[in-house]
Structure formats: structure tokens, C-alpha cells
Amino acid sequence: MALMKVKFDLKKRVKLAQGLWLMYWLAVMAGILVFSMGLFFKIELRKRSEMMDNNESHFVPNLLILVGLMACGVNAFGGKICHDSLVPAKFAKWQPMLKFFLGGCVLFNALLFFTALLCFTMRIALQFTLAEGLKNSMKYYKDTDTPGRCFMKRTLDLTQIEFRCCGNNNYRDWFEIQWISNRYLDFSSSEVRDRVMSNVEGKYLVEGVPFSCCNPSSPRPCIQYQLTNNSAHYSYDHHTEELNIWMHGCKEALLSYYGGMMNTIGAMVLLVTILEVGVMVGLQYLRTSLETLANPDEPENESEGWLLEKSFKETIAEFMEKVKSLGKGAQVEAGEDGQEQAVATVS
Amino acid sequence: MAVLKVKFTKNKRDKLAQVLWIVNWISVVTGIILFSLGLFLKVEISKQQEIMPDRQLHMVPNMLIAVGLIACTINFLGGKICHDCVDIAKYLRWKLLMLPYIICTFFFTFCILVGALMCYGMRGELEESLLSGLRDAMRYYKDTDTPGRCFLKRTVDLLQIQFQCCGNNDFRDWFHIQWISNRYLDMSSKEVVHRLRSNVEGKYLVDSVPFSCCNPSSPRPCIQHQVTNSSAHFNYDYATEEPNLWRRGCRQALLEYFTQIMQSIGLTVIITWLFELSVLTGVRYLQTAMENVLRNGNPDSESDGWLLENSFVEMARSNFKIIKNLGKCNQIDISGSDDPNIDVPSSSFAHYGPGNLPTKQIPVYS
């Protein structure tokens, strides 16, 4: 009792083959799209790898690139099969391997779905990477003379300007680290020495932020030093007044940027998965309708096409039997060999 | 004596028609490119409209957009005509339209050249507009409470950050204007009062710059206040050390940016002009060849194609005569009569039909 049986006459079969051919070419373009999205994502991660301690995992973009390439190949092949299915002689060439191709398609679709899920869940991993990476970036902000870290200041400044953020969670993170290098501190001055000594670790901490935290939209020239000291600036109350620096933290800003990107890519991959499942179902119908033709040289006859030959449960049971018999076959052979040898030695 | 006559066999004519069809389609694509370049330029100029308030600057992108659209339509029509020229029957449909089409394309090609020259000539206008626009923008930087100017601070800050520039000519321009609003100055402080009094116009001038002048690539935290005072900062010498601000002026930065855009657009327009010129020549040859084929009567025969039927001087003369005669139609000839109200035709005798035929000699049969 076949699953979802449909009758096909010649016209219907031809229409199915042509429609499938078109959809396969659409799927090739979708594969190219997935590939380019993976490439774009990889480049975006690389651009800000300094913010993430060069520690970020490139697994998801690499998987997207691989899946995109595979999709192109599989769908181009499927398109060729559909194109040839209208000519019985050419179709006979492909017939034996079609079953395995469809099995491969099932596995490929499962991989696509898994990739889409990964896109949505990568956000969590990214959160931890960003938290750690940003903390270290801020720590190395002042080390513009240390090779390997000399561009950290520039990268962090440009990130804060571009993403309109300040510090890790908020601007107060800058109060807890020394971001002014010792090279520019006058150690003969008593004020500097007082500050350094009042700190346990001997760090020069200020209640100030770098210039890149300044918000250009603020009506007042930027106040970046002595932020919590109301008397240091005229007409300024840091409790009530909107500070003219960015209020968000860079971890939040970067996370929402990458999160948005990954959500879009994940949604696209899901759509591509649905398209792939659709073409796979269409190919199965085409294959079965051509195989059940009583006489392959008379394509005008009617034939039936189905999704599965037996019902779903029976197909699964058959599949498990096949797998078991494959395993048993190896065992029985070994057993027979042993018995034969025993017989040989006796006689 | 035709100008640049070329003999065309049927094969050559068909090939010419096909090549022209392809070239016309390429020209449609270049027309679309021109249109989008014009749109891009319009958007870029609009983005900086607070700094470059000149409305006349929009003439160039508008012209490019118009030229791009017209190029698309003309070349689309041209492609259709050339495609149909292979078949004589289809050609007859377009026969009357071809000469006006060629004349229109000739004038349009001229317009494209004018457009290209305008692109290169825009630089002067741009410089003028930037000079006054930037100066005003910096002057109104502090007026964030005045309606109509409240976003100038933001615009100037974002401009300086994006184009990596500071001030009009360089960062010292900020020393000459008051960019800190009086709302944020403590007028009771001695220092502020002293500064205000020492200035003729009562402006609060400082040797400081806004934060947007800071260069992130500099190894040291930004020194934006007391820039010229070497003793105010540790390990800092204003005379020798490079200040960690942007060195370029915004006028120069913007000018360079727009000049680059204009140059690439100008180059594209010149390439489009060359394409259009070649299309025009090809279509003219095709048109004259097809007309001569019709004159010969045999569609498969050879025919001549040329650019101009007679030499250029003769053509100019004949066109001039046509224009003169157009004017003459309305004039009355008063040479043969005293009364100006009577119109005497210029010819010596009137042609009034068969009555003027010379009498036939009747043959005499004897």
C-alpha cells in the first residue's frame, strides 16, 4: 500500500519534469546564496577577531560554505537528471543510481537543517567569546608600544565609534582599568603619584573615558574626564543629565549585530531546506512514475507515482532489516568458513 | 560624391545589422549604468547638503539621470530597428522613422559630450560651495539650541570622523571660532571672564578642538584641549611632535572625495559617448545601404552605404537653401507691379494646364 499515490499521464509527467528542472536551477542559485552568506559571515568574524581574542570559532561559517558548495553540486546533478528523464533512453542510464541519489538527498537535507539550527544557537557561544575578548581588549588599550597589541587602541576606538558603544557592559568599565599608558604620565607630579599609590595594584585609574565614547548627537561639547564630579563642569549633574557619551556596552552592541546576522542567515538556510525537501519529493514522484511504466518505450501510458512504496512504518522496518542483515551477513560468512575448515581437517 | 562610401553585400548587411543589435543592447546597459551613477552622485551630494548648500550642484546628477534614461530608450529602439533590418518586409515598417531617429541620436550624442564636460567642470563650483558651507557649519557648531541649526554639531562631528579631517583648512580653524556654547560657560569664573574680555568680539576662544578631530590611530590618548601648550601635557612638544588629531582640512578631504567620484563618472560618460558614436555611424550606414537596396529593387543585390550623400559643404548649402525657402513662402514678390497689394508670381508666364501646351502640327496627308 503505497504512501500518497498519484496517477501520472504523459502530459503530467512532462510538466513535473520541466517544473522540477526549473526548481533545481533555483536551488543551485540558493546554494550559491548560502555559500556567499557563509563567506560574508566569515569575513565579518575575521574583521573583529581582535575583539574576540582571536579565539572565535569559525565552524558555522565554514559549514555554511561547505553546504553551499554541496547544494550547488547536488542540485545541478538533479537538474541534469530531470532534463534527461523526458528521453527514455537517457533516463535508463540514470535509473540504477537514482535510489542512492535520493538517499543522499535525505542526508543532505538533514545536514542543512542541522546547519540552520547551529546558526540560531551560535549566539550563546559568541556571548562568552565576546565578554572575554572585550575585557582583554580594554586591558591592552594602552599597550600601543607592545608588538602584537599596538593596533588594539585603534580597533577598539573604531569599534566604539561604529557601534556607538562604550566599554564592555557600560562606560564604568573604563574606570576600573588603566587606559592611559605610563609613558604619558608625569611621575614627578604629586597628583599622579597619589593616585597610583592609592590603588592596590598600582594602576592609574581615572573617572574618564576615551574620546571614542563621545556621542556626536549630544548638544554639549564632550565631557570625557571627571564624569562623576559635578563640580568639575559648569551646569552639570551626572545623576540627572544625559551624559554625552554612549550608554550601551560594546558586548551588547556587537552581540545584537552578530545575532541579527545569524538569525537572518539561519532563516535563509531554513527556506533553502524547505526548497530542497520539495525538489526531493518531486524527484521521488518522477522516478517512481517512470519506473512503473509497463513498457518504457511507450511513454504515452499512464503510470503511478508514490512517495514511499510501503507505508511509513513498513519502510522503516524494512530499512532496519536490511541494516541488520548487512551486519549478520558478515557474521554468518565467518561462521561458515570455520565449519568448512573443521570439515576439511576431519576428512 | 558620397562621403566614406562602402559597398555592402547582402551578407555584410545582415552581419552589420546583427552586430548593431548587440552593440545597441550593450549601450542600453551603459545607459542603465549612467542612470545609477547619476542617482548615486545625487544621493552623495544630498547627504552633505548641510555643508554644501548650493542647489546648482544638483544640475550635474540630474543631467546624468536624464541622459541615462534617454540612452536606454534610444538604444532599445535602435536595437529593435537593427534587428528588423535583416528582413526587407520588416524594414519597410521602420523606413520613414530611420532618418529622424538618426538625427535625434546625433543631437543626443552631442548632449552626452556636454554631460561629460560638465562632470569635469563641476570641481570649481564644488570648491566654492564647500568653502562657504564649511565655514558657516563651524560657526554654528555651538548653536545646538537654535532651531534649524541644532543638528549642525552632529553633522560636523560625523563628517570629521568619517572623512578623517579637522576644520576647514586645518585644525587651527577651530582656534578662531567659539565652538563652546555660552550655556556651558561659567560666567562667574574669573578665567572665563578674562578670556572673553581679551577678545575684541567678546568670543570665548580656546586652543582646543572638538573630540571628532581625534585620530584613533595615534598611540596616545587624544590631546584636544590646550593643543599648542607644550607644558600642559607630559612628554608633549607641540612644535616637533605630531599632534594626535587629523591633519587634513575637511574642505580638501571632501573635494578629493567628490573629485574622485566625478572623474570615474566622467570616464564612464566618455566611454558611453564613444559607444553611441559608433552605434550612430553603424545605423547610418545600415540605413543608406537599405535605402539603396530598395532603389535597386533586388533585395539580395549589393548596395552602397555612405555617411553623407554629397560632400559636407554641399549638404550644408542644400540645408541652408531649404531653410531660406521655408522663410520665403510667406514673402510677397513686388518686383513686377507698383501696387504692393497685388501678388505677381516670380516666373515669367503662368502655368495654367493644358491650355499652354504648344500646338501640335497636324500632319497633312496628301
Side-chain angles (χ1 to χ4, degrees):
Chain A
M1 196 215 49
L3 191 66
M4 299 204 348
K5 226 196 287 200
V6 177
K7 272 209 181 307
F8 282 102
D9 59 350
L10 178 68
K11 229 167 81 174
K12 233 176 159 182
R13 240 179 286 132
V14 168
K15 249 202 205 153
L16 178 66
Q18 283 174 340
L20 263 186
W21 180 78
L22 201 66
M23 279 179 73
Y24 263 117
W25 278 108
L26 275 174
V28 169
M29 303 220 200
I32 294 174
L33 185 70
V34 169
F35 170 77
S36 45
M37 283 196 296
L39 208 64
F40 168 71
F41 190 32
K42 197 173 172 74
I43 292 173
E44 282 292 312
L45 277 179
R46 265 226 154 272
K47 268 207 291 195
R48 303 209 169 77
S49 61
E50 277 177 317
M51 298 285 115
M52 300 189 245
D53 240 0
N54 287 329
N55 211 5
E56 78 277 12
S57 161
H58 278 263
F59 181 61
V60 173
N62 289 342
L63 186 63
L64 278 170
I65 290 173
L66 181 72
V67 159
L69 286 173
M70 277 171 72
C72 283
V74 163
N75 291 318
F77 186 62
K80 178 107 181 66
I81 293 179
C82 286
H83 187 76
D84 284 348
S85 66
L86 293 171
V87 179
K90 286 195 190 165
F91 183 68
K93 226 187 352 168
W94 297 119
Q95 204 157 351
M97 65 154 97
L98 259 186
K99 215 173 181 175
F100 297 110
F101 176 70
L102 277 167
C105 278
V106 172
L107 289 172
F108 176 66
N109 287 342
L111 182 65
L112 261 179
F113 185 67
F114 174 64
T115 310
L117 281 179
L118 263 187
C119 282
F120 290 119
T121 55
M122 190 181 158
R123 193 192 164 106
I124 302 166
L126 207 62
Q127 200 160 3
F128 292 118
T129 319
L130 271 174
E132 199 52 41
L134 273 170
K135 214 166 42 189
N136 287 336
S137 300
M138 285 171 64
K139 224 194 317 167
Y140 302 142
Y141 183 85
K142 62 172 169 34
D143 296 336
T144 45
D145 51 351
T146 314
R149 295 186 202 153
C150 43
F151 289 114
M152 193 60 92
K153 174 182 180 293
R154 180 171 179 268
T155 312
L156 193 52
D157 277 334
L158 289 175
T159 306
Q160 291 194 147
I161 290 174
E162 190 185 331
F163 286 91
R164 306 192 197 171
C165 58
C166 191
N168 206 343
N169 297 309
N170 58 28
Y171 63 91
R172 285 192 198 91
D173 297 324
W174 287 109
F175 299 173
E176 291 156 23
I177 61 153
Q178 178 180 354
W179 56 273
I180 303 174
S181 173
N182 284 338
R183 287 174 287 151
Y184 309 117
L185 292 172
D186 184 7
F187 279 100
S188 58
S189 143
S190 58
E191 192 229 320
V192 174
R193 260 181 308 171
D194 278 340
R195 250 188 214 275
V196 172
M197 274 180 204
S198 69
N199 181 267
V200 174
E201 295 160 40
K203 292 197 282 188
Y204 182 80
L205 303 179
V206 284
E207 287 181 356
V209 291
F211 79 93
S212 44
C213 280
C214 290
N215 181 357
S217 308
S218 158
R220 141 172 229 166
C222 188
I223 294 170
Q224 39 169 145
Y225 291 108
Q226 295 175 311
L227 282 168
T228 49
N229 185 358
N230 286 346
S231 52
H233 314 279
Y234 181 67
S235 179
Y236 177 69
D237 181 2
H238 87 276
H239 291 294
T240 55
E241 193 168 310
E242 217 175 88
L243 290 170
N244 51 8
I245 50 177
W246 301 117
M247 306 301 295
H248 294 291
C250 285
K251 186 175 80 187
E252 189 190 316
L254 279 169
L255 205 60
S256 72
Y257 173 70
Y258 280 114
M261 200 193 302
M262 284 190 289
N263 284 345
T264 319
I265 294 181
M268 291 244 142
V269 175
L270 267 181
L271 284 175
V272 172
T273 313
I274 293 174
L275 179 67
E276 290 284 339
V277 167
V279 289
M280 188 179 68
V281 161
L283 188 64
Q284 166 75 338
Y285 271 116
L286 189 65
R287 176 185 78 95
T288 46
S289 71
L290 281 171
E291 278 183 355
T292 54
L293 266 178
N295 188 357
D297 292 322
E298 282 178 27
E300 269 110 46
N301 293 346
E302 254 195 21
S303 67
E304 284 178 348
W306 52 70
L307 208 53
L308 291 171
E309 195 160 352
K310 311 201 169 90
S311 78
F312 190 61
K313 280 198 200 135
E314 285 175 20
T315 318
I316 299 276
E318 217 181 288
F319 184 65
M320 298 304 289
E321 283 281 324
K322 261 202 200 146
V323 172
K324 270 195 216 157
S325 64
L326 269 174
K328 264 198 193 154
Q331 282 182 357
V332 167
E333 274 184 31
E336 275 182 3
D337 265 344
Q339 276 186 356
E340 272 186 34
Q341 275 186 2
V343 166
T345 48
V346 163
S347 61
Chain B
M1 193 215 44
V3 176
L4 292 177
K5 208 195 311 204
V6 176
K7 265 212 179 308
F8 282 102
T9 59
K10 169 111 175 82
N11 225 2
K12 236 177 154 184
R13 266 202 306 274
D14 286 345
K15 251 202 203 149
L16 179 67
Q18 280 171 347
V19 165
L20 277 179
W21 179 73
I22 293 174
V23 175
N24 264 311
W25 274 107
I26 296 176
S27 293
V28 171
V29 171
T30 50
I32 293 174
I33 292 175
L34 258 186
F35 171 77
S36 42
L37 279 175
L39 213 63
F40 168 71
L41 186 64
K42 200 172 170 74
V43 164
E44 283 293 313
I45 293 180
S46 304
K47 273 207 279 195
Q48 312 293 348
Q49 67 184 12
E50 282 175 310
I51 311 286
M52 295 194 299
D54 192 354
R55 298 303 307 170
Q56 275 198 337
L57 281 173
H58 279 271
M59 241 181 13
V60 176
N62 288 341
M63 169 126 199
L64 282 171
I65 290 174
V67 162
L69 283 174
I70 297 177
C72 280
T73 30
I74 282 191
N75 287 314
F76 184 71
L77 185 66
K80 187 97 184 55
I81 293 179
C82 291
H83 187 73
D84 285 347
C85 274
V86 182
D87 184 7
I88 278 279
K90 284 194 195 164
Y91 165 71
L92 287 170
R93 264 196 300 174
W94 297 110
K95 187 166 168 324
L96 286 171
L97 192 59
M98 268 186 106
L99 192 60
Y101 169 77
I102 288 176
I103 295 174
C104 277
T105 312
F106 177 70
F107 283 117
F108 174 64
T109 315
F110 191 64
C111 282
I112 296 184
L113 193 62
V114 167
L117 291 173
M118 273 172 79
C119 278
Y120 286 111
M122 195 175 129
R123 192 199 157 100
E125 254 179 57
L126 207 63
E127 189 154 6
E128 250 180 64
S129 173
L130 272 174
L131 188 67
S132 58
L134 269 173
R135 203 182 43 220
D136 287 338
M138 282 171 65
R139 224 184 318 152
Y140 304 141
Y141 182 85
K142 61 175 170 32
D143 296 335
T144 44
D145 51 351
T146 314
R149 295 184 201 159
C150 43
F151 287 113
L152 263 175
K153 175 182 180 294
R154 181 171 178 269
T155 309
V156 172
D157 279 334
L158 289 175
L159 185 79
Q160 294 193 143
I161 291 174
Q162 185 193 347
F163 285 92
Q164 301 183 346
C165 59
C166 187
N168 209 341
N169 297 310
D170 67 5
F171 62 90
R172 277 173 274 260
D173 295 327
W174 287 108
F175 300 170
H176 305 305
I177 63 160
Q178 178 181 355
W179 58 273
I180 303 174
S181 173
N182 283 337
R183 289 175 285 150
Y184 309 117
L185 292 172
D186 184 6
M187 296 300 179
S188 59
S189 145
K190 237 194 315 185
E191 193 230 318
V192 174
V193 170
H194 184 72
R195 249 189 215 276
L196 281 172
R197 289 234 182 97
S198 67
N199 180 270
V200 174
E201 296 160 41
K203 292 197 283 188
Y204 183 80
L205 302 180
V206 281
D207 56 346
S208 310
V209 290
F211 79 93
S212 42
C213 281
C214 291
N215 182 356
S217 308
S218 157
R220 132 173 241 166
C222 189
I223 293 170
Q224 44 168 140
H225 300 290
Q226 296 179 311
V227 177
T228 50
N229 187 357
S230 298
S231 54
H233 315 278
F234 181 66
N235 196 7
Y236 177 68
D237 183 0
Y238 170 66
T240 57
E241 193 169 311
E242 224 176 80
N244 49 7
L245 310 167
W246 299 119
R247 323 281 344 251
R248 267 197 314 185
C250 285
R251 191 179 75 219
Q252 189 199 350
L254 276 169
L255 208 62
E256 267 175 30
Y257 174 71
F258 276 109
T259 309
Q260 255 182 358
I261 295 181
M262 300 309 297
Q263 277 176 348
S264 12
I265 293 183
L267 192 67
T268 313
V269 176
I270 293 216
I271 292 177
T272 311
W273 177 70
L274 288 171
F275 251 113
E276 292 286 338
L277 215 58
S278 61
V279 165
L280 180 68
T281 324
V283 172
R284 174 67 177 160
Y285 270 120
L286 190 66
Q287 182 234 350
T288 44
M290 296 301 285
E291 275 196 358
N292 285 332
V293 158
L294 282 179
R295 257 187 237 167
N296 291 348
N298 181 8
D300 292 328
S301 67
E302 259 191 18
S303 66
D304 288 331
W306 51 66
L307 278 180
L308 292 169
E309 189 156 2
N310 307 313
S311 74
F312 186 68
V313 179
E314 275 188 45
M315 187 195 79
R317 225 181 276 162
S318 65
N319 280 341
F320 194 56
K321 229 192 249 178
I322 294 174
I323 296 172
K324 250 176 54 181
N325 282 337
L326 275 173
K328 254 199 192 160
C329 258
N330 298 330
Q331 282 182 3
I332 303 166
D333 189 3
I334 56 169
S335 55
S337 156
D338 291 321
D339 188 352
N341 287 327
I342 299 173
D343 180 19
V344 178
S346 52
S347 47
S348 48
F349 51 90
H351 298 273
Y352 285 127
N356 203 32
L357 283 174
T359 47
K360 237 180 170 171
Q361 291 280 347
I362 303 167
V364 175
Y365 291 103
S366 51

